[in-house]
Amino acid sequence: MSLIIIGTVAFDAIETPFGKTDKIVGGAATYAGLAASYFYNKVKIVAVVGDDFHKEDIETFEQHGIDTEGLQIKAGEKSFFWSGKYHNDMNSRDTLVTDLNVLADFDPVIPENYQDCEYLMLGNLTPQVQQTVIKRLKNRPKLIVMDTMNFWMDIAMDDLLETIKLVDVLTINDAEARQLSGEYSLVKAAKKILTMGPKYLIIKKGEHGALLFDENQIFSAPALPLAEVFDPTGAGDTFAGGFIGYMAKVGTVNFNNMKNAIIYGSALASFCVEKFGTEKILNLQEEDIAERVKEFVNLSSFTI
Amino acid sequence: MSLIIIGTVAFDAIETPFGKTDKIVGGAATYAGLAASYFYNKVKIVAVVGDDFHKEDIETFEQHGIDTEGLQIKAGEKSFFWSGKYHNDMNSRDTLVTDLNVLADFDPVIPENYQDCEYLMLGNLTPQVQQTVIKRLKNRPKLIVMDTMNFWMDIAMDDLLETIKLVDVLTINDAEARQLSGEYSLVKAAKKILTMGPKYLIIKKGEHGALLFDENQIFSAPALPLAEVFDPTGAGDTFAGGFIGYMAKVGTVNFNNMKNAIIYGSALASFCVEKFGTEKILNLQEEDIAERVKEFVNLSSFTI
């Protein structure tokens, strides 16, 4: 049994008010895979890179017990590259460069040993590629989590709606929930989105935490107030990876387990933003995570 | 022993996407007083109105057990009037009319029987008037809560800083916390503001809940996700009134009691926005409040 994560494995160049990086390894599958690996030891990624991707970078995955058989390496091609600059508030950013490169015609390959997939994380990619992965799995996974963004709502809404139909959990931010549903109230937005296919909706609100909805319940998770946000890149993917990794670990899909999965995902994301790129989430200890989760408990508990 | 609330008692004319009202009774002291009256039976208000204010409106206070001896009625003058129109998102609004009228030279009178004040709520007013009230009390109250807004930071920062020095709890929103401290991170903003006088800071984030800070701890309170927000007017004042009313009821000032006070204040505020003006908070039953508080518990509890 395994957890498959599909998404980008890529190079990023990031500028924040605190500094800038050269090309560093990033991408949704990278962040989500690393985060998930802290909870579950059968994480497998599906992605594509060019031959500019270094052997050491692939070894980093393997050191975290992540199976890279589904990571295609295209000879003579270049990896996806994104470059962005964050504004002073760290909540908004300008994209400086987006070079699709190998991503332009990404055709995901599912190795035979990935067919034991029980948990599937569809990282942010074209909805059609996300759908292809679901169709290439012989058995429907027990839990499919899909992340997406406003960009696909703008240019590929029909494909997006087709893919959404097939998943269990959708993760989007509040502006995207409003765009997808046409409703301003998040309660109404959630109600509508839960008729589109997913049984659960997670609305990510960045520094304001996250909301989990099913048909009958709502859970409001806090975000840890941080003195410094060093680099927000990958925080959403880290959250999603921590979420599905924790779900794979506990093995039972229900609302209560998802509440905890959101706290664990948020804890991982709170580490992610403390350093540039993946630096902080490369070397977490179990105690670090337990300590951080305790901070979330203290932050939000009250007794009435 | 009593709880004194100083603030505006006024007329509002409100337009929202759901409808509009003629002049209805509003004002910070009105909302806060009504909210506090559900928790504590010795609420006394200090405010000023013109003789356009109706006898029935004053009786409404008395029906809620609120002492109005400190409510001055100025013959031949008009009450403060505010008119505003909310945008479709209900989070922003345009002020159409602000007629200060009696508020222009408001000199708060503290009746002798108010000198037993243990809890003092300084509703949003000029910082100088807020300070005058503190100075006219012979004994320093056990708990002074002060609400203010960006307007006073823009035009009366020195007075504001003088008044802030004298209070225990400051309640402002996130943009105001950033403006007052010059720090974007709310953690850093809170640290700075807690050196300015208050021992506790409440940052109100509207639909994203609220944060309570003291020197060593943070509490993140959720907001109840609502399908309809009918009219947000007075929600912040209702929150503050519920907060201090609950604190007066429990009688011990500490972080844990403030956490609960925030939940009760938020519960009252969630009722307030369900109808125009004070309509909904005029006739709440104890069971309504208990039920609503239970929703907050369910919304935010998890077991790790």
Side-chain angles (χ1 to χ4, degrees), chain A residues 54-165:
Chain A
H54 309 293
K55 216 182 129 204
E56 311 88 77
D57 296 326
I58 294 173
E59 281 166 4
T60 302
F61 287 115
E62 286 157 4
Q63 282 154 12
H64 282 82
I66 299 169
D67 191 330
T68 57
E69 195 185 335
L71 177 65
Q72 303 169 55
I73 302 166
K74 295 267 179 132
E77 293 190 48
K78 280 183 157 185
S79 303
F80 175 57
F81 174 62
W82 175 83
S83 170
K85 184 178 171 170
Y86 288 87
H87 302 164
N88 279 334
D89 66 8
M90 292 298 239
N91 273 329
S92 52
R93 66 186 186 191
D94 294 325
T95 289
L96 304 176
V97 181
T98 307
D99 289 336
L100 282 182
N101 298 330
V102 289
L103 215 60
D105 55 357
F106 178 30
D107 186 33
V109 169
I110 313 293
E112 188 51 39
N113 99 56
Y114 279 39
Q115 289 295 345
D116 62 352
C117 172
E118 260 198 319
Y119 297 88
L120 176 61
M121 173 76 229
L122 301 169
N124 177 37
L125 272 178
T126 77
Q128 233 165 4
V129 170
Q130 291 177 317
Q131 199 178 139
T132 301
V133 173
I134 299 175
K135 296 208 165 138
R136 288 184 181 167
L137 288 169
K138 290 173 192 150
N139 302 305
R140 206 256 182 211
K142 190 159 127 184
L143 182 69
I144 304 179
V145 179
M146 173 182 171
D147 188 34
T148 188
M149 68 185 294
N150 55 348
F151 181 71
W152 309 115
M153 298 176 193
D154 293 338
I155 69 158
M157 187 59 115
D158 288 349
D159 285 347
L160 184 68
L161 292 173
E162 277 304 309
T163 310
I164 283 177
K165 271 188 201 165

Side-chain angles (χ1 to χ4, degrees), chain A residues 89 91 178 184-185 187-188 205 207-208 218-220 222 225-228 259-260 299-304, chain B residues 89 91 178 184-185 187-188 205 207-208 219-220 222 225-228 259-260 299-304:
Chain A
D89 66 8
N91 273 329
R178 286 171 173 139
Y184 187 81
S185 150
V187 174
K188 288 188 181 176
K205 302 195 298 173
E207 67 158 339
H208 302 302
I218 311 177
F219 172 58
S220 172
L226 295 170
E228 300 282 17
K259 295 204 295 191
N260 289 357
L299 178 67
S300 57
S301 63
F302 60 94
T303 313
I304 284 186
Chain B
D89 65 9
N91 274 328
R178 286 171 173 139
Y184 186 82
S185 150
V187 173
K188 287 188 179 177
K205 302 194 299 171
E207 67 159 338
H208 302 302
F219 172 57
S220 171
L226 296 168
E228 298 285 13
K259 297 204 295 191
N260 288 357
L299 178 67
S300 57
S301 64
F302 60 93
T303 313
I304 283 185

Side-chain angles (χ1 to χ4, degrees), chain B residues 9-298:
Chain B
V9 171
F11 290 118
D12 294 336
I14 302 158
E15 192 173 339
T16 80
F18 300 106
K20 57 192 289 184
T21 67
D22 287 332
K23 280 189 179 188
I24 56 173
V25 176
T30 305
Y31 286 100
L34 290 171
S37 75
Y38 288 100
F39 302 106
Y40 196 63
N41 63 8
K42 297 237 174 69
V43 178
K44 304 174 179 184
I45 57 169
V46 173
V48 62
V49 292
D51 60 10
D52 54 350
F53 206 76
H54 309 294
K55 213 180 130 208
E56 312 89 76
D57 296 325
I58 295 172
E59 281 166 4
T60 302
F61 286 114
E62 285 157 2
Q63 282 154 14
H64 282 81
I66 298 169
D67 191 330
T68 58
E69 196 186 334
L71 176 65
Q72 304 170 55
I73 302 167
K74 295 267 179 132
E77 294 191 46
K78 279 182 157 183
S79 303
F80 175 58
F81 174 62
W82 175 82
S83 170
K85 184 177 172 172
Y86 287 88
H87 301 163
N88 280 333
D89 65 9
M90 291 299 234
N91 274 328
S92 52
R93 66 186 185 189
D94 293 325
T95 289
L96 305 177
V97 181
T98 306
D99 289 338
L100 283 182
N101 298 328
V102 289
L103 215 58
D105 55 359
F106 177 32
D107 187 33
V109 169
I110 313 292
E112 189 50 39
N113 99 58
Y114 279 39
Q115 291 293 349
D116 63 351
C117 172
E118 260 199 319
Y119 297 88
L120 175 62
M121 172 76 229
L122 301 169
N124 176 38
L125 272 178
T126 77
Q128 235 166 3
V129 171
Q130 292 177 317
Q131 199 177 141
T132 301
V133 173
I134 299 175
K135 297 206 166 144
R136 288 184 181 168
L137 288 170
K138 289 173 196 155
N139 303 305
R140 206 255 183 209
K142 188 159 126 184
L143 181 70
I144 305 179
V145 180
M146 173 182 173
D147 189 33
T148 190
M149 67 186 294
N150 54 348
F151 181 70
W152 308 114
M153 297 176 194
D154 293 339
I155 69 158
M157 186 59 113
D158 287 348
D159 286 347
L160 185 67
L161 292 173
E162 278 304 309
T163 310
I164 283 177
K165 274 188 199 162
L166 308 173
V167 310
D168 302 303
V169 183
L170 180 69
T171 73
I172 47 182
N173 70 28
D174 38 0
E176 289 155 355
R178 286 171 173 139
Q179 182 174 353
L180 182 59
S181 65
E183 294 283 353
Y184 186 82
S185 150
L186 295 180
V187 173
K188 287 188 179 177
K191 242 186 208 5
K192 219 166 189 179
I193 292 168
L194 292 177
T195 67
M196 297 177 180
K199 284 181 284 295
Y200 302 92
L201 171 69
I202 296 174
I203 298 182
K204 301 173 287 182
K205 302 194 299 171
E207 67 159 338
H208 302 302
L211 296 171
L212 168 67
F213 294 84
D214 74 2
E215 214 188 342
N216 305 308
Q217 300 168 85
I218 312 177
F219 172 57
S220 171
L224 201 66
L226 296 168
E228 298 285 13
V229 171
F230 202 77
D231 170 18
T233 310
D237 304 311
T238 303
F239 168 83
F243 174 83
I244 198 164
Y246 179 85
M247 289 306 293
K249 176 187 174 179
V250 294
T252 307
V253 175
N254 62 36
F255 196 83
N256 272 338
N257 286 339
M258 283 194 190
K259 297 204 295 191
N260 288 357
I262 285 179
I263 298 297
Y264 276 94
S266 303
L268 267 285
S270 76
F271 284 121
C272 177
V273 303
E274 289 181 354
K275 294 209 170 165
F276 267 121
T278 59
E279 191 180 342
K280 183 80 184 195
I281 59 163
L282 279 177
N283 291 301
L284 293 173
Q285 304 303 315
E286 224 169 280
E287 310 86 77
D288 300 334
I289 297 171
E291 183 61 40
R292 186 58 59 95
V293 165
K294 214 176 135 199
E295 286 185 56
F296 276 82
V297 173
N298 293 338

